[in-house]
Amino acid sequence: MTDSVMQTYARYPITLVRGERLRVWDDEGNSYLDMAGAIGAAPLGHAHPRWTKAIHDQTDALGMVSNLFDTQPQSLLADRLAGLLPIPDARVFFCNSGAEANEAAIKLVRKHGLASGKPKIVALEGSFHGRTVATLAATGQPSKRAPFEPLVDWFEHVEAGDIAAMGAALAGGDVAAVMLEPVMGEGGVHPLEPAYLQAVRALCDEHDALLIADEIQSGLGRCGYWLAIEHADVVPDVVTLAKGLGGGLPIGACITRADLAFGPGEHGSTFGGGPIPCAAALAVLSTIEDEDLLTRAHEMGGRLRNQISLLAPAGLIEEVRGRGLLIGVQLTRPLAHEVVSAMIEEGVLATEAGADVIRMSPALIIAPEEIDVAAKALASALERVASAWEWTP
């Protein structure tokens, strides 16, 4: 580990050098089962042959030309996304990250709302939408906003799941859009109930507000659907994607109806939708379809939740929740970091989603036996931490 990299992450003390499927190796030759999955950004695991071939072929053909010219990979990817997602007559803006995709969505609905005297956006408490100035303002976690305030002042936050609070926020008639994560990832992996999502959609329609679905972490098969919000049979007006889209390369997308889309000069990105990440994304989408990874996410996610519930020591876990292969393990004590560190010693990688939540977002290609290994490692790690910290039910 070098001191030259700005320490914006509390990193675990290992240096990874190689990966294959769900297995990674560090610089000392130790092997780990990767249940962290790059926080959902590696849906095909490591070095998937279709993904690597697509990148190599595109690198040999055309690398980068800017968005002043069309490219075949970008056009093909836009058509694929427009055809896969439930938004009618969709238009796609490509960028490089989830924060940029959400920034584009905020800018898009802000423009639309200001034209009709609606300057505000409503988001949820506990949400996470990014670390740029606007996406941080949208994020419903005061501790993340505090060092940088004052930020933009046209966001309002309401409690997730409280439809009365949402109705009250929209009643003033000055709200351009509601922005939400169908599964709140960084806030602790909390799936929003279908009835709540349906009620929010109805309120948006009633008050002429747009609905933004932030699917950065939950989309593209992660939760067993192309979009997690499809679980509620809800069609949003704007969708944002990133993480899993590039299979490990940086690419994001903001997708909306043609009548809401940006026009020339209203937004841009030099690197957004470059040929190489678009070729990688096409390989990701094709592999998810061809290998039926939406079904696998459902099945393996259910197996993982069940195995954790069966194997975990009694009283140390409050809840195992999530959709598909986006799993949150709610602990009864704020010891997530200690448990994740113990899992590393057991040969399994996971991440934290708050002080008391362990998150697992492995590749969608995960096998049943790998699910079982991960659940056993978590159970063992819980026992070790409970013993060391005198943590009893």
Side-chain angles (χ1 to χ4, degrees):
M1 185 178 295
T2 176
D3 292 333
S4 299
V5 174
M6 196 176 294
Q7 300 302 304
T8 54
Y9 294 91
R11 286 179 166 169
Y12 303 106
I14 56 175
T15 299
L16 301 176
V17 298
R18 183 169 67 90
E20 183 178 347
R21 283 185 53 87
L22 276 86
R23 184 64 55 177
V24 293
W25 287 263
D26 67 17
D27 57 352
E28 297 180 353
N30 299 307
S31 171
Y32 306 88
L33 178 64
D34 185 7
M35 297 297 290
I39 319 179
L44 305 185
H46 303 280
H48 192 287
R50 290 182 64 171
W51 182 78
T52 57
K53 184 179 187 303
I55 293 169
H56 291 161
D57 289 351
Q58 187 57 50
T59 301
D60 289 342
L62 181 68
M64 178 63 187
V65 294
S66 89
N67 278 302
L68 296 176
F69 304 93
D70 191 13
T71 67
Q72 289 182 334
Q74 187 182 97
S75 293
L76 289 170
L77 181 58
D79 288 344
R80 287 293 304 278
L81 290 173
L84 286 174
L85 305 186
I87 295 176
D89 196 22
R91 299 292 185 271
V92 183
F93 171 79
F94 288 113
C95 51
N96 310 287
S97 68
E100 289 176 70
N102 282 339
E103 189 86 16
I106 290 167
K107 189 173 173 182
L108 191 76
V109 301
R110 174 83 166 163
K111 172 178 175 281
H112 177 79
L114 289 174
S116 54
K118 297 183 174 185
K120 292 173 54 178
I121 297 173
V122 175
L124 301 182
E125 294 175 2
S127 62
F128 182 83
H129 297 292
R131 298 184 186 275
T132 65
V133 170
T135 58
L136 189 58
T139 293
Q141 299 184 44
S143 63
K144 287 184 170 63
R145 297 196 308 262
F148 310 101
E149 291 178 325
L151 299 167
V152 296
D153 61 358
W154 28 270
F155 284 94
E156 178 179 350
H157 295 91
V158 301
E159 184 177 352
D162 187 339
I163 197 61
M166 182 64 73
L170 290 170
D174 58 351
V175 173
V178 173
M179 186 174 195
L180 54 76
E181 305 160 272
V183 180
M184 298 169 69
E186 296 297 322
V189 191
H190 291 279
L192 299 179
E193 291 297 325
Y196 175 73
L197 291 168
Q198 292 163 4
V200 172
R201 174 74 271 183
L203 282 172
C204 287
D205 292 341
E206 178 183 347
H207 295 282
D208 193 26
L210 301 174
L211 177 60
I212 306 170
D214 176 348
E215 298 265 4
I216 304 301
Q217 195 165 146
S218 61
L220 296 171
R222 172 61 47 192
C223 294
Y225 302 85
W226 287 114
L227 298 178
I229 202 167
E230 292 182 75
H231 178 71
D233 196 27
V234 169
V235 177
D237 301 293
V238 185
V239 168
T240 55
L241 301 171
K243 289 197 183 293
L245 180 59
L249 290 186
I251 183 171
C254 174
I255 305 158
T256 190
R257 304 190 313 262
D259 61 302
L260 299 175
F262 290 122
E266 291 186 333
H267 203 46
S269 172
T270 298
F271 291 100
I276 296 171
C278 283
L282 286 165
V284 169
L285 298 180
S286 295
T287 304
I288 290 173
E289 284 186 320
D290 294 347
E291 298 186 11
D292 195 14
L293 296 184
L294 301 185
T295 299
R296 179 174 285 263
H298 274 300
E299 293 174 348
M300 294 299 101
R303 184 184 184 102
L304 181 56
R305 291 192 296 273
N306 289 337
Q307 288 293 92
I308 292 172
S309 298
L310 286 171
L311 295 173
L316 304 186
I317 289 178
E318 181 177 312
E319 182 185 16
V320 183
R321 58 179 175 257
R323 291 219 168 89
L325 282 168
L326 180 53
I327 305 296
V329 181
Q330 178 76 55
L331 305 179
T332 58
R333 299 286 190 277
L335 292 171
H337 181 75
E338 290 77 8
V339 174
V340 169
S341 297
M343 289 179 70
I344 291 174
E345 295 179 12
E346 296 284 336
V348 174
L349 306 184
T351 59
E352 305 155 44
D356 56 358
V357 177
I358 298 161
R359 173 177 48 194
M360 296 189 194
S361 50
L364 306 184
I365 62 172
I366 192 168
E369 55 269 25
E370 291 169 323
I371 292 285
D372 299 346
V373 167
K376 290 175 183 176
L378 173 59
S380 179
L382 284 166
E383 289 177 347
R384 291 172 56 190
V385 172
S387 176
W389 287 75
E390 298 181 351
W391 175 15
T392 56

